[in-house]
Amino acid sequence: MKKILVIHGPNLNLLGTREPGIYGHLTLAAINQKLKVVAKKHKVALVIKQSNHEGQIVDLIGGAKKNRFCAILINPAAYTHTSVAIRDAVAACGLAVVEVHLSNIYARESFRHKSLISPVASGTILGFGANSYVLGLAALVDLIPSK
Ligand code: DQA
């Protein structure tokens, strides 16, 4: 079965209680559960990681191909706007990468208007709450080479 790596960036472990007016009331576990349902439907396996640490996220992305993942779904969270290291890892990983955000970053503070990741991602889905992940995973499955 094809394996997809899901990476949740910093502070997403706090979903459920973190600024629910912006990020909604679903916990990360509930979002992961939704993703597992989508994965089952598309007959792909998910490995789901959350990290608050930039270097750890870089290592996950950098090791993805070697670890036989065929695509990556990532919400880089605050690192979206700051991390050249994560951008470079995405650019170098050689896999389809879909970037997702719960909120519409372009409708928020100006420092969130720039994503360093979007130019090197296969595509970006944002602003649909937990549904951004569901839509992102479905889009990513379509990008996986069939062999
Ligand atoms: C976020 C948007 C980022 O600006 C923010 O730092 C996050 C979450 C989102 O999913 O809407 O932590 O990536």
Side-chain angles (χ1 to χ4, degrees), residues 9-12 15 18-19 22-23 75-81 99-105 108-109 111-113 126-127 129 132-133:
N11 299 309
L12 295 172
L15 288 177
R18 176 190 180 198
E19 300 184 87
I22 297 172
Y23 299 117
N75 183 348
Y79 289 136
T80 305
H81 318 295
E99 172 194 9
V100 297
H101 299 283
L102 296 149
S103 64
N104 177 356
I105 57 176
R108 299 183 61 195
E109 304 95 325
F111 66 85
R112 296 186 205 273
H113 293 181
L126 57 94
S132 294
Y133 281 95

Side-chain angles (χ1 to χ4, degrees), residues 61-146:
I61 298 167
K65 206 165 189 178
K66 197 185 83 201
N67 289 318
R68 301 191 172 277
F69 288 100
C70 54
I72 300 174
L73 182 71
I74 182 168
N75 183 348
Y79 289 136
T80 305
H81 318 295
T82 62
S83 180
V84 175
I86 293 176
R87 176 204 172 98
D88 287 353
V90 168
C93 75
L95 299 173
V97 178
V98 169
E99 172 194 9
V100 297
H101 299 283
L102 296 149
S103 64
N104 177 356
I105 57 176
Y106 301 105
R108 299 183 61 195
E109 304 95 325
S110 57
F111 66 85
R112 296 186 205 273
H113 293 181
K114 187 166 180 63
S115 167
L116 299 184
I117 312 303
S118 293
V120 291
S122 310
T124 302
I125 295 179
L126 57 94
F128 298 101
N131 230 3
S132 294
Y133 281 95
V134 170
L135 296 167
L137 180 56
L140 191 53
V141 166
D142 273 353
L143 293 178
I144 296 173
S146 54

Side-chain angles (χ1 to χ4, degrees), residues 12-18 20 23-34 102 128-131 133-134:
L12 295 172
N13 53 314
L14 303 176
L15 288 177
T17 55
R18 176 190 180 198
Y23 299 117
H25 292 276
L26 285 187
T27 62
L28 192 61
I31 292 175
N32 289 340
Q33 198 46 49
K34 278 178 179 287
L102 296 149
F128 298 101
N131 230 3
Y133 281 95
V134 170

Side-chain angles (χ1 to χ4, degrees), residues 44-63:
V44 293
L46 298 184
V47 173
I48 303 175
K49 304 279 186 187
Q50 189 277 326
S51 177
N52 294 325
H53 304 280
E54 186 177 19
Q56 207 170 345
I57 295 170
V58 169
D59 286 344
L60 284 169
I61 298 167

